[in-house]
Amino acid sequence: MKLLYYSPSSYGGLADYAHEQANALVEVGVEVDLLCMPNYPTDKGHQYTLVAQLKELDPDKPIKTKTGRVWRYINTTLTNYRTLSATIKRGAYKYVLMGSYAEYLSPLWARQLCHLAGRGVVFGAVVHDPVRDFVLGPAWWHRWSVSRGYAYLSNAFVHEHIALDTGTATKNLTTTVIPHGLYRFPHARRSASLVRQDLNIPQQAKVILSFGHIRDGKNLDLILHAMVKLPQVYLIVAGKEQSSGQRPASFYQRLAESLDVANRCRWEVGFVSEEVAADLFTASDIVALTYSRIFRSASGVLGVAANYQKQCIASGGEGALKETVKKYGLGTWVEPDSYEAIHTGLKQQLYKPPQPHWNDYYADNSWLMNAQKVVNALKSTRYKRLSTHSKFQRP
């Protein structure tokens, strides 16, 4: 089986997921070509073949005007989907896996992929965020975009049982639940005590780690408020700022000053290597996954935390994260968007934490199981499509 994997993300959770999933697909016998950007890291031990032909948004060349940034985004997005279409034709791929579902601007790019699907190409997508309630533009455009984003897909891969809202009725869309594997980060280079010593954190302190992109939906401000009455708690914030549309790290640093907790906060703002991340997870007691109520997907950070057997304090909407944390006892689940709930949950997690079922979690959430389910679904869908629509037997 030969498969083209479309991954326009070079860093972050989506890129890490694509890397692990693509490697696992190779391990179950698939020949994987990963269509990516030129800055995709080449030192991660990939077993798949890199096809670095996508156009990237160059952060080193900022555009001052909003109109300019919007135009660059539109141009880059449409160029990359044209590249995807051309690559499929040139390589005669019969199977294509999209690293994530996307609907932005889909009325402008989906038609070319629908044409390929109509000629027998089987498309699947990992739907990381199944509830598409962020409306960009008029409501009619949003609904149309969601519909077109699903129109060419034969398979949707999700991390929980859910009835997908596909905008309008989509025929022949098969939804398959797949596990979210663990991210295999390296072992820590230093002991927890040495890392704390370097960060000037007392050895007896309780340390919370907020890892990943710094963005509003993680409720970092509420964690700072909850720390006021928990003098033994220190906080490490490690990750890049999300974008100009989100509050920057400086906002949270000023808030920490105003709440008189700044002396218990440590800031590692910017790209965090896997080696540094390993040290920070090892030195921490709790991982913060305090998402807002609108968050209904799985969390890649949970997979990293589980790699180091670190429990979490978590919140969010109904979805894969809540189901996983509660099912395996991986931490304390609290009411979202409430610093009082976070304060109470932290005390519970610090003094009466649940007993995690790590082995059960590891057994149920392997990348190999993820990959095998994807392969089985894609293959069965292909034969069903060709037998049902015989006129498309020759792409």
Side-chain angles (χ1 to χ4, degrees):
M1 182 180 185
K2 183 180 178 182
L3 178 143
L4 181 65
Y5 197 119
Y6 180 70
S7 179
S9 299
S10 295
Y11 298 96
L14 292 180
D16 291 338
Y17 188 102
H19 167 73
E20 297 286 0
Q21 188 178 47
N23 264 351
L25 286 166
V26 173
E27 291 185 39
V28 298
V30 181
E31 180 185 344
V32 178
D33 294 338
L34 190 134
L35 185 59
C36 60
M37 296 183 182
N39 66 342
Y40 188 88
T42 59
D43 59 348
K44 301 183 71 172
H46 59 272
Q47 303 175 53
Y48 45 87
T49 300
L50 293 177
V51 183
Q53 296 180 352
L54 297 181
K55 183 179 180 180
E56 60 183 277
L57 287 171
D58 191 353
D60 297 327
K61 297 179 181 179
I63 297 178
K64 294 182 179 180
T65 66
K66 182 178 180 180
T67 301
R69 292 192 297 271
V70 170
W71 170 247
R72 182 173 66 177
Y73 172 78
I74 293 174
N75 180 59
T76 300
T77 300
L78 298 184
T79 297
N80 284 342
Y81 280 110
R82 285 195 295 268
T83 299
L84 170 62
S85 180
T87 304
I88 294 170
K89 295 174 184 177
R90 185 170 57 249
Y93 292 94
K94 301 303 192 326
Y95 301 100
V96 179
L97 182 60
M98 313 295 285
S100 64
Y101 166 82
E103 79 272 20
Y104 299 144
L105 302 177
S106 62
L108 304 181
W109 54 256
R111 183 176 181 180
Q112 55 195 320
L113 302 185
C114 287
H115 175 73
L116 290 169
R119 299 195 53 166
V121 178
V122 175
F123 287 91
V126 183
V127 186
H128 292 281
D129 299 303
V131 181
R132 315 301 292 186
D133 54 3
F134 178 74
V135 179
L136 191 64
W140 65 266
W141 172 263
H142 172 71
R143 298 299 296 167
W144 188 23
S145 298
V146 170
S147 299
R148 297 302 290 163
Y150 278 108
Y152 65 96
L153 294 175
S154 299
N155 290 271
F157 300 102
V158 297
H159 296 114
E160 60 170 325
H161 293 281
I162 186 171
L164 287 175
D165 177 7
T166 59
T168 57
T170 302
K171 297 180 180 179
N172 299 324
L173 179 67
T174 300
T175 301
T176 304
V177 178
I178 57 176
H180 192 307
L182 280 71
Y183 292 124
R184 292 170 279 196
F185 274 45
H187 295 295
R189 301 166 300 177
R190 297 173 295 166
S191 66
S193 60
L194 283 177
V195 177
R196 289 190 177 201
Q197 181 178 317
D198 288 348
L199 293 173
N200 193 26
I201 296 177
Q203 298 297 328
Q204 70 277 13
K206 299 297 183 181
V207 180
I208 305 172
L209 174 63
S210 176
F211 180 75
H213 282 115
I214 299 172
R215 56 186 176 84
D216 299 349
K218 289 186 174 181
N219 285 331
L220 189 55
D221 54 334
L222 302 184
I223 295 176
L224 294 171
H225 278 282
M227 288 173 59
V228 172
K229 294 183 179 180
L230 294 170
Q232 74 278 38
V233 170
Y234 279 64
L235 173 68
I236 300 174
V237 179
K240 296 175 65 175
E241 295 178 323
Q242 178 77 27
S243 69
S244 58
Q246 303 286 310
R247 290 180 290 192
S250 58
F251 168 85
Y252 298 105
Q253 290 168 336
R254 290 193 298 270
L255 178 60
E257 291 280 357
S258 68
L259 295 172
D260 199 25
V261 298
N263 63 319
R264 291 187 278 129
C265 296
R266 304 294 181 265
W267 307 88
E268 301 286 338
V269 180
F271 172 73
V272 180
S273 69
E274 292 186 356
E275 291 75 20
V276 172
D279 287 349
L280 297 179
F281 274 94
T282 299
S284 302
D285 297 294
I286 306 171
V287 176
L289 302 174
T290 48
Y291 297 101
S292 66
R293 192 177 303 275
I294 64 174
F295 183 87
R296 300 184 181 94
S297 62
S299 170
V301 180
L302 179 64
V304 182
N307 185 63
Y308 299 101
Q309 294 199 351
K310 297 294 180 178
Q311 293 192 50
C312 64
I313 178 168
S315 64
E318 298 294 327
L321 176 61
K322 181 177 182 179
E323 179 181 332
T324 302
V325 170
K326 289 200 164 188
K327 179 179 180 180
Y328 300 101
L330 303 185
T332 300
W333 185 265
V334 300
E335 184 71 18
D337 306 315
S338 166
Y339 85 87
E340 293 95 342
I342 293 176
H343 176 267
T344 302
L346 280 174
K347 289 198 298 183
Q348 178 181 337
Q349 184 61 42
L350 290 172
Y351 301 112
K352 288 186 177 181
Q355 295 298 314
H357 305 292
W358 294 117
N359 290 335
D360 291 341
Y361 176 73
Y362 298 151
D364 294 343
N365 292 273
S366 74
W367 288 110
L368 288 179
M369 186 183 299
N370 172 303
Q372 194 60 64
K373 285 179 176 288
V374 169
V375 169
N376 292 344
L378 291 176
K379 282 187 172 180
S380 63
T381 303
R382 171 175 164 75
Y383 292 125
K384 181 176 66 175
R385 282 179 61 88
L386 293 182
S387 62
T388 303
H389 306 282
S390 58
K391 67 178 180 179
F392 295 141
Q393 287 184 2
R394 286 181 172 268

